[in-house]
């Protein structure tokens, strides 16, 4: 079945569809020796080249993967930096085919949860505004702010790239001149959290992303470390954006025979509860 070339490359982990469409316009992609055009479709037997190198198709790749990364302050979200600063890609495990795609960038002075995936289509859906994926942040500001400021942040303020607002703001307490708030929004524009606070005259001195969609920052993962999602959590993320499960569900193992032929009703209820609650 023929599919658009940008979808094939995205599924193979080369980038998001939007990125790949720009590569097509730049002439970086060839199909059977000819420059690709927007709208071109490819069959399984077609040869695709990116920057002159053959592209490995989805069937040749390892199963799609997602990593949770606890970003420390001081790292940037680019693959390479002319200034030689550390990047979030430096400590990731190697990928045999394809590459890691960052989902949910954070600026150099922010920390917390970032996702990486080998699936470009998944990355595109997680970041696309139409899916309205929630992001949650812990924000430390200088002093408390008034109810009127909270109202403005909830109803919306005008930024240079359009109106923006928080879906929710929860007081997190604090000591001295610093005060914590937990904020929620469902888009990921550049430095949006900081810019929202700056627009109402509030100074942010620390920002940590604690949740992205249905994934939380694991307490057991220290800064600068990563954790790969297992099958269950991976499939939950895929369901969130309407994608098929990554792996087939394992079949249940055969029940072991026991010495007792029957069990009491109380024992049966207890076993059933344990099985369904796991």
């Amino acid at each position: 079945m023929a599919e658009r070339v940008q979808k094939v490359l995205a599924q193979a982990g080369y980038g998001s569809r939007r990125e790949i469409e720009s590569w097509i316009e730049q002439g970086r992609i060839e199909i059977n020796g000819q420059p690709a055009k927007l709208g071109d479709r490819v069959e399984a037997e077609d040869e695709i080249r990116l920057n002159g190198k053959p592209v490995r198709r989805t069937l040749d790749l390892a199963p799609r993967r997602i990593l949770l990364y606890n970003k420390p302050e001081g790292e940037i979200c680019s693959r390479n930096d002319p200034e030689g600063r550390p990047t979030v890609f430096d400590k990731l495990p190697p990928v045999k085919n394809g590459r890691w795609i960052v989902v949910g960038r954070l600026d150099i002075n922010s920390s917390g949860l970032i996702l990486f995936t080998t699936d470009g289509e998944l990355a595109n859906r997680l970041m696309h505004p139409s899916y309205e994926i929630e992001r949650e942040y812990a924000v430390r500001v200088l002093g408390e702010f008034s109810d009127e400021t909270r109202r403005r942040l909830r109803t919306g303020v005008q930024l240079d790239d359009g109106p923006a607002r928080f879906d929710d703001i929860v007081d997190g307490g604090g000591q001295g001149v610093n005060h914590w708030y937990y904020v929620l929004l469902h888009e990921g524009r550049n430095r949006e959290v900081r810019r929202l606070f700056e627009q109402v005259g509030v100074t942010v001195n620390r920002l940590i992303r604690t949740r992205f969609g249905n994934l939380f920052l694991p307490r057991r993962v220290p800064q600068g470390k990563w954790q790969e999602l297992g099958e269950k959590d991976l499939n939950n993320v895929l369901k969130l954006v309407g994608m098929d499960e990554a792996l087939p569900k394992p079949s249940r193992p055969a029940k072991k025979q026991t010495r007792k032929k029957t069990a009491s009703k109380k024992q049966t209820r207890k076993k059933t509860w344990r099985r369904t609650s796991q």
Side-chain angles (χ1 to χ4, degrees):
M1 180 179 178
E3 294 184 304
R4 292 187 185 275
V5 63
Q6 58 264 41
K7 179 179 179 180
V8 172
L9 291 178
Q11 289 176 334
Y14 286 90
S16 69
R17 292 195 192 188
R18 188 173 301 176
E19 285 180 311
I20 295 165
E21 287 172 356
S22 69
W23 298 346
I24 293 174
E25 294 174 343
Q26 295 166 16
R28 297 171 58 187
I29 298 175
E30 296 179 353
I31 303 173
N32 298 326
Q34 299 297 319
K37 303 184 296 298
L38 288 175
D40 280 352
R41 295 176 177 271
V42 292
E43 302 278 359
E45 64 272 13
D46 290 325
E47 181 188 55
I48 307 172
R49 288 181 173 267
L50 173 61
N51 298 327
K53 297 180 180 180
V55 168
R56 300 290 297 274
R57 306 293 284 272
T58 304
L59 294 178
D60 300 327
L61 302 175
R64 61 165 65 99
R65 302 166 64 186
I66 296 178
L67 298 184
L68 307 182
Y69 181 68
N70 189 352
K71 175 191 175 300
E73 296 179 10
E75 291 185 354
I76 63 171
C77 289
S78 299
R79 293 182 183 276
N80 300 291
D81 180 46
E83 300 179 26
R85 294 172 294 183
T87 84
V88 294
F89 292 90
D90 292 341
K91 301 170 185 176
L92 301 184
V95 180
K96 185 176 182 180
N97 297 306
R99 63 173 186 166
W100 290 116
I101 303 168
V102 62
V103 177
R105 295 171 179 267
L106 291 170
D107 65 60
I108 191 170
N109 296 317
S110 299
S111 62
L113 180 62
I114 290 182
L115 308 183
F116 291 91
T117 179
T118 54
D119 189 308
E121 176 62 18
L122 175 58
N124 184 59
R125 294 195 186 197
L126 287 170
M127 292 184 286
H128 201 280
S130 64
Y131 287 92
E132 298 188 340
I133 304 298
E134 291 183 341
R135 285 94 159 161
E136 185 177 272
Y137 301 83
V139 186
R140 192 178 70 186
V141 303
L142 188 60
E144 297 182 62
F145 49 75
S146 65
D147 291 339
E148 174 59 21
T149 298
R150 186 194 299 264
R151 185 194 65 79
R152 289 182 61 194
L153 290 170
R154 287 289 308 273
T155 57
V157 298
Q158 186 67 31
L159 303 180
D160 55 5
D161 55 355
R165 69 179 184 88
F166 291 126
D167 297 323
D168 197 11
I169 304 173
V170 177
D171 193 321
Q175 296 179 347
V177 297
N178 292 315
H179 204 88
W180 285 94
Y181 291 92
Y182 293 94
V183 299
L184 180 70
L185 72 169
H186 60 270
E187 58 183 2
R189 284 186 266 171
N190 184 40
R191 300 184 71 253
E192 187 171 6
V193 174
R194 292 183 184 274
R195 291 190 293 141
L196 271 164
F197 279 109
E198 289 169 1
Q199 191 65 23
V200 295
V202 176
T203 300
V204 173
N205 54 33
R206 193 171 181 192
L207 189 149
I208 307 169
R209 182 188 286 140
T210 56
R211 179 167 67 90
F212 193 104
N214 52 11
L215 297 174
F216 290 82
L217 180 65
R219 292 185 178 181
R220 61 184 176 276
V221 178
Q223 287 193 345
K225 301 295 183 179
W226 54 268
Q227 173 183 294
E228 183 161 4
L229 291 190
E231 178 190 343
K232 180 180 178 181
D233 291 330
L234 173 57
N235 285 332
N236 285 337
V237 176
L238 296 174
K239 291 176 184 177
L240 184 67
V241 293
M243 295 181 69
D244 294 332
E245 293 186 354
L247 297 169
K249 295 181 179 179
S251 57
R252 291 186 177 182
K255 294 181 179 180
K256 293 183 179 180
Q257 290 184 345
T258 59
R259 292 182 179 180
K260 294 182 179 181
K261 294 182 180 181
T262 60
S264 66
K265 291 183 178 180
K266 184 177 180 180
Q267 289 175 324
T268 303
R269 284 197 300 269
K270 188 174 182 181
K271 291 178 181 179
T272 302
W273 182 87
R274 285 180 178 175
R275 184 166 59 250
T276 56
S277 62
Q278 289 176 349

